[in-house]
Amino acid sequence: MRYNVESIRCASCRRLLMKAAPRAISDTIEIKCPRCGTINALRPVEPQPERQERKNGINAQNGRNF
């Protein structure tokens, strides 16, 4: 079985720091790049909120009135 993994790279020099499964990071972590010394802060990915309808009566998804 093959898992989908993400490559986590240094923001400055692009060196590969780690590979992780999507949503594997559950809290903020910091990784110091061994090549350039940059501290890379990684936060968990939050899902995008669903679109809310506008208060003026227009549906936000298709722009039509109710």
Side-chain angles (χ1 to χ4, degrees):
M1 180 186 275
R2 188 172 179 134
Y3 294 101
N4 189 15
V5 294
E6 298 177 25
S7 296
I8 309 299
R9 296 188 175 271
C10 175
S12 296
C13 71
R14 306 300 297 158
R15 179 180 175 166
L16 180 64
L17 300 174
M18 65 182 271
K19 289 187 177 184
R23 299 181 186 231
I25 299 171
S26 61
D27 200 6
T28 303
I29 61 172
E30 293 181 347
I31 301 174
K32 183 176 180 180
C33 177
R35 181 189 291 165
C36 68
T38 300
I39 303 293
N40 294 274
L42 304 173
R43 295 183 301 272
V45 177
E46 296 179 14
Q48 295 291 330
E50 293 185 23
R51 293 183 69 165
Q52 299 290 326
E53 293 182 3
R54 289 182 171 178
K55 292 182 180 182
N56 65 359
I58 298 175
N59 185 331
Q61 290 183 348
N62 59 18
R64 296 182 188 160
N65 288 331
F66 300 117

